[in-house]
Each structure stands twice: as structure tokens, then as C-alpha cells.
Amino acid sequence: MRLVFASNNAHKLSEVRAIMPADVTVLSLRDIGFEAEIDETGSTLEENSLIKAQTVWDFINDGLEVDGVFADDTGLEIDVLGGEPGVYTARWYTHEPTLTLPMGKGVTEEMMNFQCNRAKALRELEGKEDRGCQFRTVITLIKSNPTLPKEKEIIQVEGVVRGHITTEEHGTGGFGYDPIFIPEGYDKTFGELPAEIKNHISHRARALEELVKVLQNL
Ligand code: IMP
């Protein structure tokens, strides 16, 4: 089976390829020559992962020989904030323009973005006892229907890891909110835990396991 994963993120691609069964070939957007930016205009993780998968599906439907496409979208959902930042997780700090960090040598825009987001999370939870939260990943798979090849099938799965936000940063591993997120059952952040542990229990890993179950039952 050949599936397109609607991403060019090297970290995600290697995670996905490590979890997928050997008989599934995972192609990146670069592999299929897809270069456009996809506007994530949805108001939920479900909508955004569908938008990404649908956009790439329309592209591959123009003639590429693949069996389907899947896309992921992840959000950090903080209990006392009613599930925020959720769909706005990637650029949460931009909702508070005063919170900016100067660009230094060797600091990429992405690193600055992650750092500002973490600073915002710590600030939002300052003095709060309830620091519970979860990462949630939604994956949308679009594939052709074997009995009606012109029709498509849409399947959504999700993966969740519960945990809490620390009061300060610990560790430098991973990315995004990892240095301030301690998963349930552990006493270290994702930024401190070895990548093998994170990749085993993470929201994305769990969503991918659900996707594999779906693929095995096709
Ligand atoms: P995406 O939908 O996978 O691009 O994730 C959206 C945002 O969620 C990212 O920009 C990160 O800030 C955050 N995020 C996603 N996955 C992780 C993770 O495994 N650890 C920490 N932050 C994450």
C-alpha cells in the first residue's frame, strides 16, 4: 500500500515510518511534488486535519498512483482554560503580541515561536494549582473505496496523552511545549525523557497506532 502523509516535517515522517507496517510505503509532500501552502482555516483539529488531507487528496487524484492520503493536526488542551489553546496551539503567543523574544544568533523563527508559546502557557497558569492538560492528535485518512473506486472513504482517529504543565522549563529535548509537559505516570518532562519513551506514549504515536489498526482491518 502507498500512502501520502501530508507533511514535510522530518521528525514526524521518521516517527510515522517507524510505526507503519513494512508493507505500507509512506510518501511525503516533497515526494509527490506538492509545494503549495495549506491554509488551516478550520475551527477544530478534526476540521484542520480533514482540510490538509482533502487538499492533498485533490492533488493526488489528478493522476498519482497512491492508495490514500493522511494528515495530522495536534493541539494542547489545558483543563482550566477550557481546552485552550487547542486548534491555536502552534501560534498561541501571537494572540498576545506583547509577548515577543528577541531573535539571537542561532535562534530560528521556529525556536522563538516555541519559546514564546511556552512562556505564554507558564504565564496563563501562574499561581494555578490545577495544571492538568492533554495533547490530542487527530489523523484523517482519505482513501479510495475498493468497491466504488471513484468514491472516497474518510476515516478519523485520535490519540491523547494526559499530563500537566510544569512551573518552569526542564530539558532541551523534543520540540514545542515538550520542556513544560510532564506526561501522566512520569516525573520528567518530554524535554527530559528519552525520545524512545516519548515516541512510544505520545499523542501522535497513539493516533498512529489507531491508524495502523484501521489499515490492518481494511
Ligand atoms: P502540529 O499540528 O503537529 O503541527 O502541532 C501544532 C503545535 O502543537 C506545534 O507547533 C507544537 O507547538 C505543538 N506540538 C505538537 N506536537 C507536540 C509534541 O509532541 N510536543 C510538544 N509540542 C507539540
Side-chain angles (χ1 to χ4, degrees), residues 28-69:
S28 70
L29 291 182
R30 198 163 293 122
D31 291 334
I32 62 163
F34 181 96
E35 286 174 358
E37 277 289 313
I38 303 176
D39 279 336
E40 296 179 26
T41 52
S43 55
T44 61
L45 301 177
E46 283 77 4
E47 281 175 23
N48 273 346
S49 73
L50 177 60
I51 288 169
K52 285 189 249 183
Q54 182 67 57
T55 307
V56 180
W57 171 263
D58 291 342
F59 178 83
I60 60 175
N61 231 9
D62 287 345
L64 265 171
E65 295 271 310
V66 297
D67 302 293
V69 52

Side-chain angles (χ1 to χ4, degrees), residues 99-173:
L99 220 171
T100 50
L101 294 178
M103 291 285 281
K105 225 177 159 199
V107 179
T108 63
E109 195 181 333
E110 186 180 55
M111 283 158 73
M112 193 189 76
N113 184 23
F114 288 153
Q115 198 171 339
C116 289
N117 278 332
R118 292 195 297 271
K120 177 158 170 84
L122 293 180
R123 202 150 97 185
E124 289 281 339
L125 291 181
E126 207 172 314
K128 294 206 166 55
E129 254 183 44
D130 180 357
R131 308 181 74 85
C133 62
Q134 62 185 25
F135 276 115
R136 192 163 72 90
T137 294
V138 174
I139 294 180
T140 301
L141 168 72
I142 304 185
K143 56 177 282 298
S144 47
N145 182 330
T147 45
L148 298 163
K150 290 222 152 98
E151 303 273 316
K152 66 182 185 213
E153 279 180 331
I154 299 178
I155 296 158
Q156 285 193 319
V157 292
E158 71 166 27
V160 168
V161 60
R162 289 232 21 113
H164 69 271
I165 300 288
T166 51
T167 51
E168 54 187 43
E169 299 205 359
H170 295 284
T172 53

Side-chain angles (χ1 to χ4, degrees), residues 9 11-12 40 45 52 72-76 89-91 113-114 117 135 137 174-179 181 190 198 202-204:
N9 179 315
H11 170 92
K12 288 189 190 177
E40 296 179 26
L45 301 177
K52 285 189 249 183
D72 71 330
D73 203 42
T74 294
L76 173 67
T89 297
R91 297 186 64 76
N113 184 23
F114 288 153
N117 278 332
F135 276 115
T137 294
F175 70 101
Y177 297 80
D178 280 346
F181 177 83
F190 267 165
K198 180 186 170 189
S202 83
H203 40 298
R204 214 170 3 263

